[in-house]
């Protein structure tokens, strides 16, 4: 029964190589598997849903992404547990990826919301949240 669940999300990226390194690492930590590969894109699938990353064409580079503008603000994923959030947070730091809302971490989303927030290479915000 997949009715209504997200089938896929497709995101244009400025540099496919950078995005593949980042998203491949993160999504595979969450159990996603590489699903499709072609010269302009890559996708990863978990269950019935997949995420697609496609190299944007240079002619569209002059309008850059900003999550405060109209459009996507962030993508949030379930972690396994609070410990899992902590492990990924540690690994993000090891990789030199900065954590957002550091002073509030891991409760930047509220007292009952154990999560880490960070950015992908195009500064799309990503959230990993422990189940409640
Ligand atoms: Zn959120």
């Amino acid at each position: 029964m997949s009715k209504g669940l997200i089938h896929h999300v497709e995101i244009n990226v400025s540099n496919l190589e950078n995005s593949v390194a980042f998203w491949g690492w993160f999504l595979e930590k969450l159990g996603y598997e590489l699903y499709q590969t072609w010269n302009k894109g890559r996708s990863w699938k978990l269950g019935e849903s997949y995420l697609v990353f496609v190299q944007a064409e240079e002619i569209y580079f002059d309008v850059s992404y900003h999550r405060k503008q109209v459009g996507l603000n962030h993508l949030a994923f379930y972690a396994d547990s609070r410990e899992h959030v902590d492990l990924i947070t540690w690994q993000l730091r090891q990789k030199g990826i900065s954590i957002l809302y550091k002073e509030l971490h891991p409760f930047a989303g509220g007292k009952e919301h154990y999560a880490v927030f960070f950015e992908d290479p195009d500064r799309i915000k990503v959230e990993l949240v422990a189940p409640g």
Side-chain angles (χ1 to χ4, degrees):
M1 284 300 291
S2 312
K3 185 181 175 185
L5 291 178
I6 289 189
H7 186 278
H8 67 276
V9 175
E10 183 163 321
I11 298 172
N12 290 336
V13 301
S14 65
N15 180 306
L16 185 64
E17 198 180 327
N18 291 345
S19 292
V20 161
F22 173 89
W23 285 102
W25 170 78
F26 179 64
L27 293 174
E28 286 169 22
K29 293 280 176 196
L30 300 186
Y32 283 72
E33 285 177 6
L34 187 61
Y35 178 48
Q36 299 155 306
T37 302
W38 70 105
N39 63 341
K40 296 282 185 205
R42 205 69 56 94
S43 72
W44 283 267
K45 189 169 189 179
L46 179 66
E48 296 301 311
S49 300
Y50 59 98
L51 286 171
V52 192
F53 302 90
V54 179
Q55 176 63 55
E57 293 174 50
E58 254 177 70
I59 53 163
Y60 299 110
F61 280 9
D62 52 338
V63 182
S64 66
Y65 170 78
H66 196 296
R67 63 174 179 264
K68 299 273 177 97
Q69 290 172 346
V70 174
L72 179 74
N73 178 262
H74 66 286
L75 290 169
F77 298 85
Y78 276 106
D80 224 17
S81 60
R82 290 184 170 205
E83 292 70 28
H84 189 211
V85 171
D86 291 343
L87 175 65
I88 297 288
T89 302
W90 184 80
Q91 290 173 336
L92 287 163
R93 289 194 169 118
Q94 295 299 301
K95 292 168 83 66
I97 296 168
S98 62
I99 305 305
L100 300 171
Y101 322 121
K102 277 193 194 74
E103 44 322 316
L104 298 170
H105 175 82
F107 295 108
K111 256 192 280 187
E112 305 298 320
H113 194 84
Y114 198 96
V116 59
F117 296 82
F118 50 100
E119 291 177 328
D120 98 325
D122 287 316
R123 302 201 64 192
I124 294 172
K125 185 163 71 177
V126 184
E127 175 180 354
L128 180 68
V129 53

